[in-house]
Each structure stands twice: as C-alpha cells, then as structure tokens.
Amino acid sequence: MTEAARAAATSPSGLSGQSAVDDLVALLDLERIEENIFRGVSPAESPVRVFGGQVAGQALVAASRTVPAERRVHSLHSYFIRPGDPRVPIVYEVDRIRDGRSFTTRRVVAVQHGKAIFTLSASFQLEEQGNEHAAAMPSVPDPETLPTWREATADFPLMNAKFPRPIDVRYVTEPPWESREDGPGEAASQVWMKADGKLPDDPMLHLCIMTYASDMTLLDGVLAKHGVYWGLDKVLGASLDHAMWFHRPFRADEWLLYDTASPSASGNRGLATGQFFTQDGALVATVVQEGLIRVIKPSAGEGAQA
C-alpha cells in the first residue's frame, strides 16, 4: 500500500461505525401503514438501484411484524423480480399464509410504481430441542489481524465509493479486485463481517441484519473464478434469487465468518453457496443465491477498465 493510500485508508469518513449502524437499524424499522402493509425507504446516499440485501432485510422485518416474537425465522426463500428505485418508498404487503401449532408461514411482496419488485416466503418456528450436528468452521486468521475495508480498497478508488458502510468486512482470502490482476482464480471467498457498532438485543433484528449483509460478498467466488470484478471490468449483474436457513442463535454485531463458494456458472448465471460461523466455530446460517452475471468482452483494441 502506498503512503498516500495508507493515509486515505486511515482518515475518518463518517460513513461507517456506530452512526452507520444506527442508520441501518432505522432503515429496517418499517412504518406500518395497515395491518399487513408496511413501508420502507432507502438511504439518502444510495446506488442507482436498491441494494438487494436491503429489500430482503426489510421484507423479513415486514414478515416478522405479523408473527409472535417466540417464533423465530428458520428459513427464507426470495426472488428479485425488478430493480428497486431508491428514490421512492417500497411498500411491503404481507400474506398470512398459515399459523400452525409449531410453524408460521408468511409471504411478502415488495411493490414500487404499482409493480412487484421482490417476493419473499419465510417460515417461523417455536423453539424445539432435538438432535444436533454441524459442519466444522475452516481454520482462518483472527479478524482483528486483517485489513479493514478502507485499507484493503485504498489503492482501488472505484471500490471505495462514498456510501454508508454499516457492516465491517475483513477479507481472509485475497479480495477479488486484487486477485483479478492475476487472472482467473479459485471460485471461493472468505470474509469476516459484523455490524460496525453495537446493536439492540432484539434477536429478530440480528437475523434481519445478517440477511442484509449476506448479499454483500456472496457472488465474489463467481467473479474470482473468471478474473473479473464489479466496476473494474464490464460486468453486468444482479441477484436473481436468495435463500437462507438459520440454524442457531448469534449476534450480528459480533464477528461472523462468511465462507462462500461457487459450484457452477452457466447461461450468464452464477450459483453461490455460503455458511456463517461464529468466532467460536458454531455454524449459524447457510445461504444459497443465483445471480445474473454477464461479462462483456472488450472489443478489439479495447482493454479492460482499470
């Protein structure tokens, strides 16, 4: 890292830390406008379309607001239908599909401009005891020994966009914007992540924060395998669907290892899988997503964007 880059990485930005975390908590605190209808907004500083993790997290909040607190979400399945417009609110319509003795099922449709942009189905369960087993966590360095996001992106200004970053992300594997310089690599990625501040104790909020964060680096393995990255190459992409299974309690403001891989890419779609582990090795969630990834090859005489 150059001295100028190091200075930029360590200078305060006001875009992370507790204030950004508080803003994220507020972002997920939807307005109830009817019994089963909620309204959410996007941050004032937003990309050109709504971040997929935001709409998924808000939809899960909407579903949870219609379910008794003692029933915890254990799985969700969602589809991204249209790009979200960050300039206007998103309306979340909840369908109370089933309330059983042990399980509750909800379906949420996110609407903008009179059209569905996202759907989510979520299942909630009363706590039960039973058999237990889990995959082991990979051996990785401690998160506090790894570069911060600003340090890791200091030599890549396009990667250090001035948007709020409420999630602290530390790469264990080489970041894909660096590994792309050596060409195609491993179809895998490992990062430590957590909310960059203190969260309230509400367990449902921690689940929704994880849902938000799970969309941040999940497709890295797909891109790394082909030696490309957003903004640095001509890559058009979007989340298509997103599924999560929540296995055990956790706190989203404590370090979680996000171990992801891509088993397949075809038809301009890339499949990615991920597992979240706590620092003490507990497997707390599993994620699967398919994303649209179109890599536009440079024409003759045109190099890749740097």
Side-chain angles (χ1 to χ4, degrees), residues 15-277:
L15 297 173
S16 60
Q18 188 64 52
S19 61
V21 171
D22 293 343
D23 288 346
L24 177 56
V25 172
L27 188 75
L28 294 173
D29 187 16
L30 304 182
E31 175 190 4
R32 185 190 292 267
I33 57 178
E34 246 298 344
E35 182 67 18
N36 299 314
I37 302 176
F38 302 84
R39 180 162 49 204
V41 297
S42 298
E45 295 175 311
S46 292
V48 294
R49 62 187 180 192
V50 176
F51 170 52
Q54 174 195 318
V55 69
Q58 288 180 331
L60 183 56
V61 170
S64 71
R65 295 278 174 89
T66 69
V67 177
E70 62 269 20
R71 299 195 176 206
R72 291 171 56 89
V73 63
H74 69 88
S75 70
L76 64 85
H77 301 261
S78 60
Y79 283 92
F80 296 87
I81 301 171
R82 295 180 176 88
D85 181 352
R87 300 169 298 176
V88 299
I90 305 172
V91 174
Y92 296 91
E93 302 173 351
V94 182
D95 185 1
R96 301 183 184 227
I97 292 184
R98 180 177 183 268
D99 292 290
R101 292 182 179 180
S102 300
F103 291 87
T104 294
T105 306
R106 295 290 184 261
R107 180 173 183 266
V108 183
V109 179
V111 178
Q112 279 189 321
H113 304 296
K115 297 180 180 179
I117 65 167
F118 175 84
T119 64
L120 175 141
S121 294
S123 181
F124 299 75
Q125 181 190 16
L126 281 171
E127 184 176 357
E128 298 183 29
Q129 299 299 317
N131 295 332
E132 290 245 355
H133 75 271
M137 184 177 76
S139 178
V140 295
D142 187 90
E144 300 293 349
T145 67
L146 300 172
T148 66
W149 174 270
R150 297 202 73 214
E151 290 169 344
T153 60
D155 289 328
F156 296 82
L158 288 175
M159 296 305 307
N160 214 348
K162 301 303 182 183
F163 297 120
R165 296 199 63 84
I167 307 299
D168 188 348
V169 176
R170 310 281 180 98
Y171 272 84
V172 176
T173 52
E174 187 177 21
W177 57 87
E178 293 183 358
S179 64
R180 66 181 276 281
E181 297 181 346
D182 298 322
E186 293 294 322
S189 173
Q190 292 175 328
V191 300
W192 286 103
M193 59 170 56
K194 70 177 182 69
D196 197 14
K198 185 70 173 175
L199 290 171
D201 290 334
D202 178 9
M204 192 65 222
L205 176 62
H206 289 256
L207 290 160
C208 294
I209 297 283
M210 174 185 276
T211 301
Y212 172 94
S214 66
D215 194 36
M216 293 180 63
T217 64
L218 187 51
L219 295 179
D220 278 6
V222 182
L223 299 172
K225 181 65 176 178
H226 299 276
V228 296
Y229 200 68
W230 319 112
L232 302 176
D233 301 281
K234 291 187 175 180
V235 182
L236 302 177
S239 302
L240 295 174
D241 59 5
H242 193 89
M244 298 185 71
W245 293 263
F246 303 99
H247 311 307
R248 295 169 180 83
F250 61 89
R251 288 191 66 93
D253 54 3
E254 296 178 353
W255 286 113
L256 296 165
L257 176 69
Y258 197 17
D259 183 28
T260 65
S262 174
S264 176
S266 62
N268 281 336
R269 302 183 317 276
L271 184 68
T273 63
Q275 294 179 311
F276 278 102
F277 295 89

